[in-house]
Amino acid sequence: MTDEELLIEFALTRLDHPGLDLEDVAALLVRRVGPDHMVDLAARNLATRGELRGAVFESAVEHVLRVVLTLRGPAD
């Protein structure tokens, strides 16, 4: 899943759940994409952080948030 695809999935998930904060939306997205994508997202997050181990679900959620906030751009 590319960063662009991830951002689209995030946007669609947020549209379905407009009242949730960003971390909760990211958690829903990670649950939706399934275990294979969850492991991939977690691996990318751990590689970015330079770590060898971490909790899979939490690392995947962190990666989703990192991508969303990076592509969102600087705060005004």
Side-chain angles (χ1 to χ4, degrees):
M1 176 178 287
T2 66
D3 287 352
E4 290 80 14
E5 291 170 329
L6 186 62
L7 190 60
I8 291 168
E9 288 294 326
F10 185 89
L12 292 173
T13 303
R14 190 158 190 206
L15 283 173
D16 290 343
H17 305 281
L20 296 179
D21 66 15
L22 295 180
E23 187 170 353
D24 290 337
V25 174
L28 283 173
L29 183 146
V30 169
R31 286 187 185 100
R32 270 190 190 177
V33 298
D36 291 338
H37 285 295
M38 182 187 327
V39 170
D40 177 55
L41 295 170
R44 287 196 260 168
N45 185 54
L46 294 173
T48 300
R49 292 174 54 185
E51 296 181 9
L52 296 176
R53 294 181 188 208
V56 174
F57 182 78
E58 290 80 5
S59 293
V61 170
E62 185 178 325
H63 180 73
V64 171
L65 287 174
R66 183 185 322 277
V67 169
V68 168
L69 295 175
T70 300
L71 294 178
R72 187 182 201 185
D76 293 336

